[in-house]
């Protein structure tokens, strides 16, 4: 849902940080963000069978080797308040849907992808939690209560839920 112009408002206090500065920190990661990013990489289409798993494995491996601890957060049930917004996003991306079952299939496929990611995380011994609702709300809760040092998400709602430290536009570029 988001807050209009939030990132522009926060621009004056934004700080760029290098990955190496996060050594020893524990970060809550909004898993949906990483899955969506992997699905959007055009270079992987037709080349990588499961880009979400490849992306997740590479990032987890690199960050773990750098001494960064991760806790992944996955979505719970979609809040009723957000269902119309999600429908509008689907229509914007795929055009108006004459058959609502298409949207249900897309949501079911997304949940299946998240499940594959959670299975990989379990195999790697990386902790994860399922939020009761939105993942960014749980990330914010973990951060606000001192369970993690920060959140990796692009969703500005995380601040509305009480997050103190947010890493946005996350990239594995270790030069930054």
């Amino acid at each position: 849902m988001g807050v209009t112009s939030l990132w522009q408002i926060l621009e004056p206090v934004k700080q760029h940080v290098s990955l190496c500065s996060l050594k020893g920190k524990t970060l809550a990661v909004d898993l949906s963000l990483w899955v969506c990013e992997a699905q959007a990489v055009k270079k992987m289409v037709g080349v990588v069978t499961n880009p979400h798993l490849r992306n997740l494995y590479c990032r987890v491996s690199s960050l773990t080797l750098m001494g960064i601890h991760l806790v992944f957060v996955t979505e719970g049930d979609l809040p009723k308040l957000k269902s119309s917004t999600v429908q509008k996003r689907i229509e914007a991306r795929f055009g108006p849907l004459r058959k609502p079952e298409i949207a249900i299939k897309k949501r079911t496929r997304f949940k299946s992808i998240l499940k594959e990611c959670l299975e990989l995380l379990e195999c790697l011994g990386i902790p994860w939690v399922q939020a009761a609702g939105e993942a960014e709300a749980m990330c914010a809760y973990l951060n606000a209560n001192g369970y993690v040092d920060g959140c990796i998400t692009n969703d500005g709602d995380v601040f509305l839920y009480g997050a103190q430290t947010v890493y946005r536009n996350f990239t594995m570029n270790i030069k930054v």
Side-chain angles (χ1 to χ4, degrees):
M1 306 218 345
V3 179
T4 305
S5 304
L6 176 65
W7 297 117
Q8 290 86 0
I9 294 166
L10 296 175
E11 185 72 22
V13 295
K14 172 179 83 173
Q15 297 176 12
H16 292 274
V17 298
S18 65
L19 287 176
C20 61
S21 71
L22 301 176
K23 182 177 182 173
K25 295 201 180 285
T26 301
L27 305 176
V29 180
D30 182 345
L31 180 59
S32 296
L33 168 70
W34 283 12
V35 168
C36 291
E37 285 178 348
Q39 302 297 334
V41 177
K42 305 251 185 260
K43 291 180 182 178
M44 286 198 238
V45 176
V47 177
V48 178
T49 307
N50 294 306
H52 54 283
L53 295 177
R54 179 201 173 276
N55 186 45
L56 181 61
Y57 178 79
C58 290
R59 285 182 169 186
V60 166
S61 297
S62 295
L63 294 172
T64 301
L65 286 171
M66 295 174 78
I68 301 169
H69 310 283
L70 304 170
V71 176
F72 283 84
V73 181
T74 187
E75 303 284 333
D77 293 330
L78 185 67
K80 289 180 182 167
L81 180 64
K82 193 171 182 179
S83 60
S84 65
T85 301
V86 170
Q87 182 64 34
K88 288 176 186 172
R89 285 180 187 163
I90 291 171
E91 288 179 7
R93 194 174 295 150
F94 302 106
L97 300 173
R98 292 185 180 89
K99 299 179 182 178
E101 57 270 7
I102 294 173
I104 293 168
K105 282 183 183 177
K106 291 186 184 307
R107 186 81 180 156
T108 302
R109 173 68 181 134
F110 187 70
K111 285 188 174 193
S112 172
I113 287 172
L114 290 176
K115 185 178 179 205
E116 290 175 355
C117 291
L118 296 177
E119 289 172 2
L120 176 60
L121 291 172
E122 286 198 12
C123 289
L124 296 173
I126 303 295
W128 62 272
V129 295
Q130 182 172 10
E134 299 195 52
E136 65 272 13
M138 177 59 81
C139 288
Y141 172 83
L142 294 171
N143 183 222
N145 289 286
Y147 297 112
V148 299
D149 299 303
C151 309
I152 296 176
T153 184
N154 287 351
D155 194 329
D157 287 355
V158 72
F159 286 113
L160 299 178
Y161 291 117
Q164 303 297 306
T165 304
V166 177
Y167 300 100
R168 178 178 173 246
N169 295 335
F170 178 82
T171 172
M172 290 300 298
N173 182 353
I174 54 178
K175 293 178 186 175
V176 177

